[in-house]
């Protein structure tokens, strides 16, 4: 990724929404509104094994900069269940920013 | 890595290791085996898996047949079928060195099963709230699953579970009920091959974790008195969900133990 990229929360939200739609497609649920407030578990009915799939899609899209497994591993079970799309968007943006700063030295 | 063809199955596999391992040393291979019905590799992927990889282990996680994202055939759910699936998976991954097995609950029984049937494949076993597949294990688990099978198919059961344990557990129970209905998994436990109570078949080192509030605590004396090489850790104030609720505590203990075993 180039260092002058302006990371836009809207773009990241659109990226993640597309990944989630691809996952939900497998269940035949492709017509769900996804916003920052959407909860993975309560609203999308994703189980932890789906989050493993999401983790792979994040890595494919953003590269190794995004360590979703460690994002989740730091949380308690109740927190994982309550994670929202917005929290993941913020995590992705933070991770990408950190990488940019490292690259700038 | 995602799906690997193993016999009749497409097995969902996740493998994690350091991108740049230190030269001149072979990373210990650790295979993490999840439990029955309610479980999948996600239980490791979001707990022990990433930590073990960061600490230099070559970590292999997979979904058992019928679970997670692995194929769900209608039949062949005896313990020896799961053991054979694991043996074939290791073969497919071209792993010839003995591996360190970590098994949660039923996954621990699979680990003991592989060690008994193919001792040359197994360097050590870490059993998390798990029993060796002795006759009493088969009877208890098999009868339990046969009772759960019709019960979990009822709306009443799901309402009771939702009330007592919350919506998350109710949803997992619904998924578990579907697995029981769609396959012979409950019936096959009672037909599974067992090992003798003297556990003479198990010669590799065993590290075992139990919660002191778990019904499996009665295993402790039996393991201690019969296993040749056994280290037991009992976690106070803990029930069966040791892996999910105490991952941070057990992780360094397992890592130290695997490293010691590797060095020996």
């Amino acid at each position: 990724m180039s260092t002058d990229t302006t990371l836009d929360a809207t773009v990241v939200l659109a990226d993640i929404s597309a990944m989630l739609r691809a996952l939900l497609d497998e269940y035949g649920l492709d017509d769900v509104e996804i916003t920052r407030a959407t909860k993975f578990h309560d609203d999308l009915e994703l189980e932890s094994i789906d989050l493993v799939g999401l983790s792979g899609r994040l890595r494919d899209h953003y590269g190794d900069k995004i360590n979703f497994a460690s994002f989740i591993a730091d949380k308690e079970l109740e927190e994982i269940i309550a994670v929202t799309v917005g929290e993941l968007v913020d995590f992705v943006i933070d991770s990408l920013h950190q990488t940019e700063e490292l690259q700038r030295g | 890595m995602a799906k690997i063809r193993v016999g009749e199955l497409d097995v969902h596999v996740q493998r994690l290791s350091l991108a740049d391992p230190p030269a001149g040393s072979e990373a210990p291979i650790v295979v993490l085996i999840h439990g029955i019905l309610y479980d999948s590799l996600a239980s490791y992927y979001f707990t022990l898996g990433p930590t073990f990889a960061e600490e230099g282990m070559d970590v292999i996680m997979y979904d058992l047949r019928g679970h997670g994202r692995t194929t769900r055939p209608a039949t062949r759910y005896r313990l020896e079928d799961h053991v054979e699936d694991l043996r074939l998976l290791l073969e497919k991954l071209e792993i010839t060195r003995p591996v360190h097995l970590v098994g949660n609950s039923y996954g621990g029984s699979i680990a003991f099963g592989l060690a008994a049937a193919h001792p040359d494949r197994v360097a050590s076993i870490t059993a998390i709230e798990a029993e060796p597949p002795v006759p009493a294990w088969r009877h208890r688990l098999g009868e339990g699953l046969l009772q759960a099978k019709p019960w979990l198919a009822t709306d009443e059961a799901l309402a009771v579970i939702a009330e007592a344990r919350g919506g998350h557990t109710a949803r997992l129970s619904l998924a578990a009920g579907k697995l029981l209905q769609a396959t012979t998994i409950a019936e096959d436990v009672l037909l599974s091959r067992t090992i003798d109570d003297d556990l003479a078949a198990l010669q590799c080192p065993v590290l075992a974790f139990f919660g002191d509030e778990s019904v499996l605590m009665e295993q402790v004396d039996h393991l201690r008195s019969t296993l040749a090489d056994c280290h037991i850790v009992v976690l106070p104030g803990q029930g069966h969900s040791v892996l999910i609720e105490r991952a941070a505590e057990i992780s360094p203990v397992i890592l130290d133990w695997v490293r010691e075993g590797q060095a020996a």
Side-chain angles (χ1 to χ4, degrees), chain A residues 27 41 47 49-50 55 72-73, chain B residues 42 45-46 63 69 168 171:
Chain A
Y27 295 110
H41 188 266
E47 293 299 346
I49 193 69
D50 299 310
S55 181
I72 292 289
Chain B
Y45 193 88
F46 297 117
D63 281 329
R69 292 287 168 267
H168 179 62
R171 199 180 297 161

Side-chain angles (χ1 to χ4, degrees), chain B:
Chain B
M1 189 180 303
K3 297 283 177 75
I4 295 180
R5 189 74 190 173
V6 179
E8 62 175 333
L9 307 174
D10 287 318
V11 178
H12 176 212
V13 178
Q14 296 283 338
R15 190 168 185 173
L16 301 176
S17 56
L18 286 177
D20 303 304
S25 65
E26 283 190 318
I29 301 169
V30 184
V31 182
L32 309 178
I33 314 167
H34 70 74
I36 199 169
L37 283 194
Y38 285 73
D39 217 355
S40 73
L41 68 80
S43 296
Y44 289 114
Y45 193 88
F46 297 117
T47 56
L48 304 180
T51 315
F52 283 14
E54 281 165 22
E55 292 290 330
M57 306 284 150
D58 182 356
V59 179
I60 296 168
M61 296 166 272
Y62 73 106
D63 281 329
L64 298 178
R65 59 168 58 220
H67 295 72
R69 292 287 168 267
T70 291
T71 320
R72 177 171 293 180
T75 58
R76 291 194 63 230
Y77 287 87
R78 298 182 191 192
L79 184 80
E80 56 266 35
D81 296 320
H82 290 290
V83 167
E84 184 63 2
D85 289 343
L86 174 54
R87 191 189 69 79
L88 289 173
L89 174 64
L90 294 174
E91 200 172 272
K92 193 84 179 204
L93 293 171
E94 299 182 346
I95 291 170
T96 51
R97 282 188 281 149
V99 297
H100 299 272
L101 301 174
V102 177
N104 180 38
S105 195
Y106 184 83
S109 304
I110 296 172
F112 286 122
L114 183 69
H118 304 281
D120 54 317
R121 309 291 289 143
V122 183
S124 74
I125 293 173
T126 296
I128 304 171
E129 274 286 309
E131 299 174 78
V134 294
W137 159 86
R138 176 174 67 185
H139 178 76
R140 190 165 42 236
L141 180 63
E143 292 298 327
L145 292 185
L146 282 181
Q147 282 176 18
K149 183 170 182 168
W151 164 243
L152 280 179
T154 63
D155 291 341
E156 184 197 355
L158 297 173
V160 167
I161 292 166
E163 176 74 22
R165 307 282 302 279
H168 179 62
T169 306
R171 199 180 297 161
L172 291 176
S173 302
L174 181 65
K178 283 180 182 164
L179 176 55
L180 286 166
Q181 302 306 321
T183 70
T184 55
I185 194 165
E187 294 80 0
D188 284 354
V189 168
L190 283 170
L191 299 170
S192 294
R193 198 175 298 152
T194 57
I195 63 174
D196 291 341
D197 282 316
D198 65 9
L199 304 184
L202 300 173
Q203 292 300 316
C204 70
V206 175
L207 169 65
F209 293 95
F210 292 98
D212 74 343
E213 293 171 6
S214 161
V215 293
L216 296 188
M217 269 300 285
E218 61 195 48
Q219 298 296 311
V220 169
D221 288 342
H222 181 229
L223 291 183
R224 209 168 253 151
S225 60
T226 47
L227 279 176
D229 187 348
C230 182
H231 182 63
I232 292 177
V233 178
V234 175
L235 298 153
Q238 181 61 49
H240 186 57
S241 299
V242 166
L243 173 61
I244 298 299
E245 292 169 12
R246 306 293 275 270
E249 260 169 90
I250 67 174
S251 174
V253 181
I254 300 172
L255 282 167
D256 284 349
W257 195 77
V258 165
R259 286 196 188 106
E260 278 172 28
Q262 193 77 0

Side-chain angles (χ1 to χ4, degrees), chain A residues 11-59:
Chain A
V11 174
V12 175
L13 176 60
D15 288 346
I16 289 175
S17 298
M19 292 174 209
L20 287 169
R21 281 181 205 292
L23 274 177
L24 293 168
D25 246 358
E26 295 169 16
Y27 295 110
L29 299 166
D30 54 356
D31 205 20
V32 184
E33 190 193 6
I34 295 171
T35 69
R36 282 185 60 88
T38 303
K39 289 184 177 177
F40 289 109
H41 188 266
D42 287 357
D43 299 327
L44 301 179
E45 303 200 351
L46 294 180
E47 293 299 346
S48 48
I49 193 69
D50 299 310
L51 299 182
V52 176
L54 178 62
S55 181
R57 285 172 194 272
L58 287 166
R59 199 171 48 241

Side-chain angles (χ1 to χ4, degrees), chain A residues 66-78:
Chain A
I66 308 301
N67 192 341
F68 183 62
S70 67
F71 170 64
I72 292 289
D74 289 340
K75 298 181 186 304
E76 298 291 329
L77 183 64
E78 290 74 22

